[in-house]
Amino acid sequence: MRPLTSKILGVAAAVLLTLAGTGGPARAADAPYDVLVFSKTAAFRHDAIPAGIQLIRELGAANSFTVTATEDAGQFTAANLAQFEAVVFLNTTGDVLNSTQQTAFENYIRAGGGYVGVHAASDTEYDWPFYGELVGAYFASHPAIQPATVRTENRAHAATAGLAPAATRTDEWYNFRTNPRSSARVLSTLDESTYSGGTMGGDHPHTWCKTYQGGRSFYAGGGHTQASYSEAGFRALILGGIRYAANRTKADCRPETGYTTLYNGSTTGWSQAGPGSFANSNATLTSSGGLGMLWYSAKEFRSYSLKLDWMTPGDDNSGVLLGFPAGSTPDSAQTTGYEVQIDATDSADRTTGSVYGSQSADIAARDAALNPPGEWNTYELLVEGERLQVLLNGVLINDFTNTDPARSLTSGYIGLQNHGTGDDVSFRNVRIKELGGTTPRTGPITSAGGKCVDVSGASSADGTKIQLWRCTGGANQQWTVNGSTLRSLGKCMGVAGGSTANAAPVQLSTCNGSGGQNWAPGTNGSLVNPQSGKCLDANGAGTADGTQLIIWTCHGAANQRWTLP
């Protein structure tokens, strides 16, 4: 794959492109890359395949990527796949790759490759578990082609940022065998009340994204009809999906459930303090004037995960204010609470991801996760007691603990800053999950490569190996974060024998309060055993099922990055 360092410098790299079909601000041209479009069929063949290939060729010509179209499965070799940043399965059906070709593609994804599935890509390779998990869900059935309402759930991803919150279009609407929400970030859903033949009920995912075993996956359920490929919105959807898969735009594609909407078009519960204002249009808040703040005055929050999407059209300044008392002015909110900054060109302690005036972000991690002006970003601000963790597009970039007695994060209100004239920052989809203070939370612990922390054989015996394994949703992959412990099957994750040595294995054992069973989130997504000062690590940077988890000196690589429930 062509590395980012091969970016062509000069005028071509500075060309501004308008986001397809969005009418939004311009974005900088991507570093050139290469895309393989694969459309082999072993079952039903869609007559829209030529239109799909033509669309992707047109997108490539306008957006810095080359396109190689093939139906030759022989192209799935390690050497050939290494040329491409993304592979599109365009209306493939049936068994299209042999076992050798499947292995080459698995290794390509594990090495950081990208996958895009269009429509019947979910009607492909039913007997290949890796592919089923990569695509996210298999096709089950479909009704007749008809109009339906598609509801855009996530308008921060490059694929869906330019789409309306709801739109009616005509296509063939797939029902799926399983709901992918538990393993993917759902971007859009189908409203089954607007058409006949839906079988998934009130939650019918239609488009989604995910990380998987080191690579990136994007799936679009539409694309049966030839007409689809001439629709501006569908063309923008496919372009954004390709850019994400090719790692040319960032997105938080972690699964998301349990959040309550604070803003998604309605400003009920919000109040403006100070000068300036926010325009409210197309379920988007856009700041003007200031210095002011739009704050959620309906409720005070304590322990929570706050998520919101934001975009700067240029070199602009704003921030998210946390932990301030009712009645605060925009100025005093910064001195009684804290601001998580949005301004990528300011000084280290006042730049995007910093806790303003108090602690810089990890700049290298921030830069790697940040989308440039003209594209949307997602913050998760995780507040637990006096601890504030800042995640940008799913990546931990700041881990701050308040020690100032004049301020506190343990309770307070949240607000969005309008900084001043010319600082025109936009916000979307502000949502919150209250954590209930120290209430335990349960779910999978996932690696940067998309695998799950797993208790071998689902055994609860003391000394059972803790390992990486493909995510199955089983009880042996459910972990409860309870204080400083991580618990599964009624027992604790710990270091064998309480060892502090590199390569000491991690295992399940009866909870005993020892230092070997304590874990604390560290920088860049790490999990630190405070007794040893070392990080939870996938042995040898392995990603295969059965890879032993160990402790090792913290170094920040992908095999030491974890996402907690």
Side-chain angles (χ1 to χ4, degrees):
M1 292 181 286
R2 179 181 289 135
L4 289 176
T5 51
S6 68
K7 181 175 179 178
I8 296 175
L9 301 178
V11 175
V15 172
L16 294 180
L17 303 178
T18 299
L19 292 176
T22 70
R27 63 171 175 84
D30 290 331
Y33 60 103
D34 304 290
V35 173
L36 178 66
V37 179
F38 184 54
S39 55
K40 179 180 177 180
T41 56
F44 182 83
R45 185 168 183 84
H46 286 73
D47 63 8
I49 288 174
I53 294 171
Q54 181 60 30
L55 162 65
I56 298 171
R57 290 193 188 281
E58 291 171 1
L59 293 175
N63 292 278
S64 307
F65 64 88
T66 66
V67 177
T68 300
T70 187
E71 299 201 353
D72 177 12
Q75 298 242 356
F76 282 71
T77 66
N80 191 57
L81 290 173
Q83 303 177 67
F84 302 101
E85 277 71 18
V87 177
V88 181
F89 277 54
L90 175 64
N91 276 324
T92 51
T93 55
D95 296 329
V96 291
L97 300 179
N98 65 30
S99 60
T100 300
Q101 295 155 356
Q102 289 174 358
T103 297
F105 188 59
E106 289 182 14
N107 291 335
Y108 165 79
I109 293 295
R110 290 177 180 132
Y115 164 86
V116 175
V118 179
H119 193 56
S122 62
D123 188 23
T124 300
E125 294 289 357
Y126 290 96
D127 298 321
W128 182 13
F130 176 94
Y131 183 83
E133 293 167 7
L134 178 68
V135 69
Y138 282 123
F139 163 80
S141 63
H142 65 79
I145 296 171
Q146 59 191 297
T149 297
V150 181
R151 301 198 180 279
T152 306
E153 181 174 311
N154 180 325
R155 298 171 69 222
H157 195 287
T160 48
L163 303 183
T168 299
R169 57 180 306 270
T170 298
D171 213 321
E172 182 179 76
W173 308 112
Y174 275 9
N175 300 306
F176 301 99
R177 297 184 182 185
T178 56
N179 190 313
R181 189 176 291 277
S182 63
S183 65
R185 178 66 168 107
V186 174
L187 304 179
S188 68
T189 60
L190 295 179
D191 184 342
E192 290 192 354
S193 71
T194 64
Y195 72 103
S196 299
T199 65
M200 298 184 71
D203 184 21
H204 188 146
H206 179 58
T207 302
W208 55 81
C209 63
K210 64 190 300 186
T211 56
Y212 185 65
Q213 295 197 18
R216 293 159 305 283
S217 170
F218 174 89
Y219 174 78
H224 175 86
T225 67
Q226 296 181 44
S228 297
Y229 298 92
S230 61
E231 297 175 19
F234 191 76
R235 294 166 72 93
L237 183 84
I238 298 301
L239 174 59
I242 291 172
R243 293 185 63 232
Y244 167 73
N247 203 25
R248 291 307 189 266
T249 187
K250 311 297 182 180
D252 187 350
C253 286
R254 297 175 297 163
E256 183 176 306
T257 58
Y259 284 79
T260 298
T261 297
L262 301 184
Y263 169 80
N264 200 15
S266 170
T267 56
T268 300
W270 293 82
S271 302
Q272 178 70 30
S277 63
F278 281 84
N280 181 19
S281 177
N282 191 30
T284 305
L285 293 167
T286 302
S287 66
S288 63
L291 178 77
M293 120 181 126
L294 185 68
W295 63 293
Y296 190 72
S297 54
K299 187 174 182 179
E300 185 176 9
F301 296 104
R302 287 172 172 80
S303 181
Y304 55 88
S305 166
L306 174 68
K307 290 188 177 182
L308 51 90
D309 307 326
W310 58 268
M311 186 271 291
T312 64
D315 183 9
D316 298 287
N317 188 323
S318 184
V320 184
L321 297 154
L322 307 171
F324 57 88
S328 297
T329 67
D331 283 326
S332 68
Q334 287 184 328
T335 58
T336 55
Y338 284 100
E339 178 189 354
V340 178
Q341 178 74 330
I342 298 172
D343 184 355
T345 63
D346 210 333
S347 59
D349 66 341
R350 300 182 178 191
T351 189
T352 297
S354 69
V355 181
Y356 184 87
S358 297
Q359 182 167 295
S360 174
D362 178 334
I363 299 299
R366 190 282 307 273
D367 288 349
L370 179 66
N371 285 324
E375 298 195 51
W376 286 85
N377 291 277
T378 298
Y379 265 162
E380 179 184 7
L381 309 180
L382 181 60
V383 175
E384 296 176 283
E386 294 291 2
R387 184 181 185 189
L388 165 62
Q389 296 177 80
V390 180
L391 290 88
L392 174 65
N393 296 322
V395 176
L396 182 66
I397 62 168
N398 205 339
D399 192 341
F400 169 77
T401 298
N402 171 51
T403 58
D404 182 349
R407 309 196 234 191
S408 179
L409 287 164
T410 58
S411 64
Y413 291 85
I414 64 169
L416 309 175
Q417 184 186 76
N418 55 301
H419 188 267
T421 300
D423 288 317
D424 307 318
V425 179
S426 295
F427 296 90
R428 284 178 174 170
N429 195 15
V430 183
R431 64 264 193 210
I432 199 164
K433 179 191 287 188
E434 295 183 79
L435 305 178
T438 59
T439 300
R441 57 191 196 274
T442 300
I445 301 173
T446 54
S447 70
K451 289 208 168 177
C452 280
V453 174
D454 175 284
V455 180
S456 180
S459 171
S460 60
D462 282 359
T464 299
K465 171 185 178 183
I466 295 178
Q467 61 187 3
L468 287 184
W469 200 267
R470 62 183 178 86
C471 298
T472 64
N476 62 319
Q477 293 183 352
Q478 297 298 303
W479 293 91
T480 297
V481 181
N482 190 340
S484 61
T485 63
L486 303 172
R487 306 185 184 213
S488 183
L489 304 177
K491 294 194 175 180
C492 281
M493 178 191 296
V495 184
S499 174
T500 60
N502 275 343
V506 173
Q507 62 185 25
L508 195 72
S509 56
T510 300
C511 298
N512 56 28
S514 67
Q517 293 182 349
N518 289 333
W519 303 92
T523 59
N524 203 26
S526 61
L527 270 174
V528 180
N529 172 235
Q531 174 175 274
S532 63
K534 293 179 178 176
C535 283
L536 185 68
D537 180 288
N539 192 21
T543 59
D545 286 353
T547 297
Q548 171 76 57
L549 298 191
I550 60 173
I551 58 168
W552 195 268
T553 301
C554 299
H555 50 65
N559 63 315
Q560 291 187 351
R561 297 176 189 167
W562 311 94
T563 301
L564 292 172

